[in-house]
Amino acid sequence: TQPSQAMGYPQQMIKLLTTGIAGLDKILKGGISEGSSVAVVGGPGTGKTSVVFALLHCLLNMGISADRIALTCPTGRAAQRLTESLRAGVSRIGDLTALMMSSLSARTIHRLLGYSPASGRFNHHCENPIDADVVIIDETDSGVLVCP
């Protein structure tokens, strides 16, 4: 935690969630403030998926259950690519956390929000939020959005 006044908020303490990646935590001034979002952007091959993999590893090591993490992408193809990338990373590491990570699968944003084509409505919205502590949206115009 750190005083929020330094970030332009009234004098109160806000909880920072460290990523476990020293350089990223330094850039984020100690971690991701609880309830905020972080965008990781860059062109192809710049390491966005590697950051997601490292972040997932840290979140699971911190005790956040895999079923409380939602991975999503705009398209089915992007969701499949992210899931395949995670599986490849898991096979390289092979520790207990990687085993927990292997249960994660990305899905489309529409599926995550419970879109019903028949009604044209979403099951999840501001009055019925997604049942997750962390939502990671990949492939958003060559970026990753992390919402703890």
Side-chain angles (χ1 to χ4, degrees), residues 53 57 60 89-91 93-103:
F53 188 84
H57 200 269
L60 292 166
V90 163
S91 68
I93 292 180
D95 65 3
L96 181 59
T97 303
L99 182 62
M100 290 187 290
M101 198 182 304
S102 67
S103 68

Side-chain angles (χ1 to χ4, degrees), residues 29-100:
K29 296 185 178 14
I32 301 169
S33 45
E34 193 171 46
S36 69
S37 301
V38 174
V40 179
V41 295
T46 56
K48 296 178 304 291
T49 302
S50 296
V51 169
V52 169
F53 188 84
L55 184 58
L56 288 170
H57 200 269
C58 291
L59 290 168
L60 292 166
N61 276 333
M62 289 171 37
I64 295 177
S65 174
D67 64 353
R68 302 292 303 160
I69 300 171
L71 299 175
T72 189
C73 299
T75 67
R77 181 172 293 219
Q80 182 179 0
R81 278 195 311 263
L82 177 58
T83 300
E84 288 169 357
S85 293
L86 290 177
R87 299 281 184 274
V90 163
S91 68
R92 284 191 304 270
I93 292 180
D95 65 3
L96 181 59
T97 303
L99 182 62
M100 290 187 290

Side-chain angles (χ1 to χ4, degrees), residues 117-145:
S119 69
R121 296 176 186 246
F122 292 94
N123 182 45
H124 295 289
H125 43 75
C126 61
E127 293 176 12
N128 184 27
I130 298 164
D131 191 27
D133 294 327
V134 177
V135 178
I136 297 176
I137 307 169
D138 198 3
E139 297 275 333
T140 55
D141 294 326
S142 296
V144 176
L145 184 62

